[in-house]
Amino acid sequence: MQFYYYQYIVVFLLSFLLARAVFFSVAAPFFLPFWAYMLVHYKKNSAIAFVGGVIGALTLNIGQFIILLMQFSVARLLLHFLFRKVPLVILITAATFIGQAIWQIVYYTELPSTEIMVAILLEVVLTVLFSITIEKCHLIWQQKAWNNWSIEQLTFIGLFIAITIQGAEQLQIGQVNLALVFIQFFICFAAFQSTATTTLVLGSVMGIVNAVSNLAFSTMISVVVVTSIAAIFAKMYGKLGITIVSIIPSLLFFLYDTTLPLDIVYFTSIGLGAFIFYF
């Protein structure tokens, strides 16, 4: 019973964060594929996934909440009538497009502009890519070969983690940004518990996703990758070594590149992430 209790919490948090994950300030397509795969493969968790997604969308804005409900309603209809006939990724992609198109037509009372259509198509493309990512992660999880993941498998796992973390990008408590806390923690944890390859792939993917989703600060990829490399070399000194050394790259970049957004929030967040890892 306790296992299922923790399982529900994990599913709720994943749904909440995925519903909040926004790319390029316009596309938030990641919850629907996750909910669909919960419904198909872990049906008992689909209800709590829906609740988490709805709350996550509400914390963004009312428009995103309405769009999510439209896409969800279309997805339910398509899954009910076409699930055995059409691949799941196509059904979810169609639901994403139809739900967005209906909302835009109703909201603007006319056919969407070219700019809006490009944004919708971008969301459709991201839906396809994330659906494939979830499917790959599900297959990897079923294999239970956690110590023998290939580079391809690590990349898909890293993508899922990075996109989920992106949902915490705008969640800030005082001087602490939760996304930065998660990134620092996962880098330290991977360096301590896994191989150099795993740490480097995970760090690279998280850095790329964070930079691309915000369409800015591409040099931040370098910060995350160098942090991963530093954590790898510090592994021989144990948890304390990883905790201290993982912060040094950010300090160096702060001293030599004033264009990066390395402020008090950034350093407080990565410090907390390293602290949580240590304890």
Side-chain angles (χ1 to χ4, degrees):
M1 185 69 179
Q2 191 176 25
F3 170 77
Y4 289 112
Y5 175 74
Y6 287 119
Q7 190 179 55
Y8 291 147
I9 292 177
V10 170
V11 171
F12 175 86
L13 291 176
L14 288 175
S15 301
F16 174 81
L17 292 175
L18 288 171
R20 286 183 48 83
V22 180
F23 269 48
F24 315 125
S25 301
V26 294
F30 303 108
F31 163 71
L32 199 64
F34 179 75
W35 167 81
Y37 276 89
M38 284 291 107
L39 181 67
V40 172
H41 298 289
Y42 305 98
K43 191 171 184 177
K44 65 180 182 297
N45 293 331
S46 61
I48 194 69
F50 175 72
V51 173
V54 166
I55 295 175
L58 275 171
T59 61
L60 286 177
N61 53 67
I62 191 65
Q64 185 58 39
F65 168 70
I66 296 172
I67 291 170
L68 185 143
L69 290 183
M70 288 183 174
Q71 292 173 333
F72 173 79
S73 301
V74 174
R76 288 293 299 183
L77 287 172
L78 294 178
L79 287 169
H80 180 75
F81 292 106
L82 299 174
F83 174 58
R84 300 297 178 185
K85 303 175 183 178
V86 181
L88 182 61
V89 62
I90 295 178
L91 294 179
I92 297 306
T93 303
T96 299
F97 177 79
I98 294 171
Q100 268 284 7
I102 292 174
W103 164 251
Q104 299 300 337
I105 292 172
V106 170
Y107 185 79
Y108 291 103
T109 63
E110 60 183 4
L111 291 177
S113 65
T114 302
E115 183 180 355
I116 296 297
M117 286 303 300
V118 169
I120 294 174
L121 291 176
L122 174 63
E123 185 159 334
V124 167
V125 171
L126 289 173
T127 299
V128 173
L129 295 177
F130 192 62
S131 297
I132 295 172
T133 299
I134 293 177
E135 187 173 357
K136 291 287 186 180
C137 289
H138 181 243
L139 293 174
I140 294 167
W141 185 261
Q142 285 184 317
Q143 293 173 2
K144 299 187 183 301
W146 298 307
N147 295 323
N148 298 301
W149 285 343
S150 66
I151 298 295
E152 179 187 2
Q153 290 172 323
L154 285 172
T155 301
F156 281 114
I157 294 293
L159 275 173
F160 182 83
I161 293 173
I163 291 171
T164 303
I165 289 175
Q166 196 59 32
E169 177 72 20
Q170 301 301 322
L171 291 177
Q172 188 165 315
I173 303 173
Q175 299 295 328
V176 175
N177 181 283
L178 294 184
L180 294 173
V181 172
F182 289 142
I183 290 173
Q184 189 74 12
F185 171 81
F186 275 111
I187 288 174
C188 294
F189 182 80
F192 184 70
Q193 292 289 349
S194 193
T195 64
T197 302
T198 299
T199 307
L200 194 55
V201 171
L202 183 62
S204 300
V205 172
M206 288 194 297
I208 291 169
V209 168
N210 182 266
V212 170
S213 64
N214 294 310
L215 284 177
F217 308 128
S218 58
T219 314
M220 286 300 294
I221 299 173
S222 302
V223 178
V224 178
V225 172
V226 174
T227 299
S228 302
I229 295 172
I232 291 169
F233 279 103
K235 184 175 182 178
M236 65 181 74
Y237 302 110
K239 294 184 75 173
L240 181 59
I242 293 174
T243 301
I244 296 173
V245 173
S246 66
I247 297 175
I248 293 176
S250 295
L251 291 172
L252 295 176
F253 275 97
F254 173 74
L255 292 174
Y256 293 104
D257 191 344
T258 57
T259 64
L260 291 173
L262 306 182
D263 53 13
I264 184 64
V265 172
Y266 177 84
F267 282 105
T268 303
S269 302
I270 66 170
L272 179 60
F275 179 82
I276 292 172
F277 158 74
Y278 182 73
F279 290 98

